[in-house]
Amino acid sequence: MKSIRFRLMLAGLAVLLGGVFAKSQTAADAPSSPPMRGHWDGGRDGMMGFFGRALNLTDDQKTQMKAIMEKERPTLKPLHEQERQIDQQLRQYVEGTFDQAKVQALATQKAQVDSQLTVEETRVHNQMYLLLTPDQQSQLKQMEANRQARMQQHMQNAPAAPQEE
């Protein structure tokens, strides 16, 4: 049970982290294509605005979270860039001739990068989680439990996969 709670907490922090990271980007760091807009963008403030309001983050907490992201950007950015480059290389084998050995080598590289990224992001999420008050931590856990319940309900309502004969 604690494992599920921990995963939920990490998922919530991942979303929060993504919002903080996106909000803290400078114009020079901004992606060349416009970001996708949808119900997760939270309007003008993004997820940081959503979590900031939902958890009632203080200005000091927001500032500290942004400082964490600024400090960790040099570590996280190269890993995200490596992941993006590997994905681009893999795409050539989807759209062109498939080479299993090369795809396997890229998949192995991607697994290593994903592993490093998971460790780094979890460390950053932990730093941000520790900035929350016990009430905010409890509220975040409840939000994640509610999200998990909605996802579970969605999966139960999903149509069954067609069976091959």
Side-chain angles (χ1 to χ4, degrees):
M1 188 64 152
K2 285 187 178 187
S3 176
I4 292 172
R5 287 182 183 164
F6 184 71
R7 289 179 191 166
L8 294 174
M9 176 192 67
L10 287 179
L13 286 173
V15 173
L16 178 62
L17 174 69
V20 170
F21 185 70
K23 186 78 172 168
S24 66
Q25 281 189 333
T26 62
D29 293 336
S32 58
S33 60
M36 291 177 51
R37 306 236 353 134
H39 71 281
W40 283 110
D41 69 356
R44 188 187 77 208
D45 295 331
M47 289 308 286
M48 182 61 177
F50 169 77
F51 277 101
R53 287 185 300 276
L55 296 175
N56 198 23
L57 295 178
T58 65
D59 289 339
D60 189 45
Q61 286 173 314
K62 291 176 189 175
T63 301
Q64 289 175 346
M65 287 181 182
K66 187 173 180 178
I68 289 169
M69 287 308 304
E70 289 294 327
K71 181 179 140 243
E72 298 300 333
R73 180 177 285 137
T75 303
L76 294 172
K77 190 174 180 179
L79 293 172
H80 284 290
E81 181 62 26
Q82 285 177 3
E83 187 175 51
R84 187 185 65 76
Q85 288 174 352
I86 292 169
D87 286 341
Q88 283 179 334
Q89 291 174 13
L90 285 169
R91 202 168 11 256
Q92 80 182 6
Y93 296 106
V94 170
E95 298 168 354
T97 304
F98 182 78
D99 183 332
Q100 185 162 344
K102 289 181 181 176
V103 170
Q104 184 65 50
L106 288 169
T108 301
Q109 275 185 306
K110 184 172 179 165
Q112 291 171 344
V113 171
D114 285 345
S115 176
Q116 289 177 297
L117 198 52
T118 298
V119 170
E120 294 301 323
E121 286 177 343
T122 302
R123 184 177 53 76
V124 171
H125 294 169
N126 176 258
Q127 291 175 17
M128 295 174 83
Y129 182 78
L130 294 175
L131 294 175
L132 300 176
T133 66
D135 286 342
Q136 289 169 327
Q137 291 174 355
S138 176
Q139 191 174 2
L140 178 61
K141 288 176 187 177
Q142 184 60 49
M143 290 168 63
E144 283 303 314
N146 291 344
R147 185 185 73 78
Q148 186 67 27
R150 285 191 311 271
M151 290 180 65
Q152 190 69 23
Q153 181 66 33
H154 176 73
M155 294 304 293
Q156 289 174 355
N157 292 337
Q163 294 183 358
E164 293 184 29
E165 294 180 25

